[in-house]
């Protein structure tokens, strides 16, 4: 049986959820669950945990729908913000943060943005495998930032909303993360 495509606008969908209509909640999950899950599962490799975090994202969204402001972000971006925070909280509970003392030398080395892009975007299999290994050594919030920017293709303005961090700060952070990846790959 084929499901009919909804004709609800985003505003109508939000209003349906606000008024507690089950079909509004079902429609929201149907439209956005795949995108939220894709973002979460890149960080939480256990599929069951990623599914649970996706479900928690929608439960939180339903309970806090009154806080959604369409002037600040699209519904999709707002849901990604909720998923981002839940995922980071989940990851922090699972593993304590470790700060490496070796990172101070990374910041002192000046590397051009063009060189970083060229080195990190080389697509041979060996380089990709090495890049994946090095990415695993990054902190959870660094991995989330890379996921949102490179894998989810969110612009910095949306990531700023999702993370609650200024876009200029995020651009600087992305540069430092790419620099860290480059230096680790060179070792």
């Amino acid at each position: 049986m084929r499901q009919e495509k909804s004709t609800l606008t985003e505003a109508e969908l939000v209003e349906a959820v606000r008024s507690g209509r089950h079909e509004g909640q079902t429609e929201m999950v149907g439209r956005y669950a795949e995108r939220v899950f894709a973002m979460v599962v890149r960080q939480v490799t256990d599929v069951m945990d990623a599914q649970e975090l996706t479900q928690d994202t929608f439960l939180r969204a339903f309970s806090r729908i009154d806080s959604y402001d369409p002037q600040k972000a699209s519904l999709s971006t707002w849901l990604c913000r909720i998923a981002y925070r839940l995922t980071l909280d989940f990851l922090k509970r699972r593993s304590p943060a470790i700060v490496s003392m070796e990172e101070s030398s990374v910041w002192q080395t000046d590397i051009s943005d063009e060189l970083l892009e060229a080195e990190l975007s080389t697509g041979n299999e060996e380089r990709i495998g090495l890049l994946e290994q090095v990415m695993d050594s990054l902190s959870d919030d660094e991995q989330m930032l890379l996921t949102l920017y490179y894998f989810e293709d969110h612009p910095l303005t949306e990531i700023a909303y999702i993370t609650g961090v200024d876009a200029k700060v995020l651009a600087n952070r992305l540069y430092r993360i790419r620099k860290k990846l480059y230096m680790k790959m060179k070792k």
Side-chain angles (χ1 to χ4, degrees):
M1 185 188 222
R2 204 171 159 172
Q3 193 176 12
E4 289 184 34
K5 186 172 174 133
S6 173
T7 57
L8 291 177
T9 65
E10 195 170 273
E12 292 169 335
L13 179 60
V14 169
E15 190 50 45
V17 173
R18 269 196 184 113
S19 62
R21 295 198 327 256
H22 179 70
E23 59 273 8
Q25 294 174 343
T26 303
E27 177 68 24
M28 185 184 286
V29 171
R31 273 191 204 179
Y32 302 110
E34 192 174 306
R35 181 172 190 176
V36 169
F37 177 77
M39 184 185 101
V40 172
V41 80
R42 284 193 178 99
Q43 298 303 311
V44 179
T45 54
D46 183 279
V47 174
M48 297 295 281
D49 288 336
Q51 288 172 337
E52 189 174 328
L53 284 164
T54 301
Q55 186 176 27
D56 290 349
T57 297
F58 285 96
L59 291 174
R60 180 152 309 163
F62 298 153
S63 69
R64 297 185 181 171
I65 194 70
D66 289 333
S67 70
Y68 170 65
D69 182 356
Q71 301 300 317
K72 291 184 178 177
S74 68
L75 186 57
S76 173
T77 300
W78 183 70
L79 290 167
C80 285
R81 179 182 180 138
I82 294 169
Y84 170 83
R85 291 187 171 160
L86 289 173
T87 302
L88 273 185
D89 288 346
F90 173 82
L91 292 169
K92 285 177 186 171
R93 284 192 311 270
R94 296 200 72 194
S95 60
I98 299 170
V99 178
S100 171
M101 297 305 281
E102 72 182 35
E103 291 178 7
S104 62
S105 65
V106 171
W107 315 131
Q108 295 169 2
T109 309
D110 192 29
I111 304 169
S112 74
D113 220 12
E114 293 77 23
L115 176 62
L116 287 174
E117 253 335 290
E119 284 293 317
L120 296 176
S121 64
T122 303
N124 69 40
E125 283 186 43
E126 182 181 328
R127 175 73 100 196
I128 291 169
L130 181 58
L131 187 57
E132 286 174 350
Q133 286 176 353
V134 174
M135 277 186 66
D136 287 343
S137 71
L138 296 176
S139 69
D140 296 331
D141 58 333
E142 290 171 332
Q143 288 183 31
M144 285 291 285
L145 180 56
L146 290 175
T147 296
L148 290 168
Y149 189 74
Y150 288 107
F151 297 108
E152 296 292 321
D153 292 323
H154 285 281
L156 282 175
T157 53
E158 280 185 18
I159 298 172
Y161 176 78
I162 291 168
T163 61
V165 176
D166 183 77
K168 290 179 183 178
V169 173
L170 288 173
N172 190 17
R173 235 183 242 171
L174 271 172
Y175 172 76
R176 288 193 334 253
I177 293 168
R178 290 195 329 248
K179 193 173 181 179
K180 186 190 300 188
L181 287 172
Y182 172 79
M183 298 299 281
K184 287 185 176 202
M185 288 177 67
K186 287 294 182 185
K187 284 185 180 178

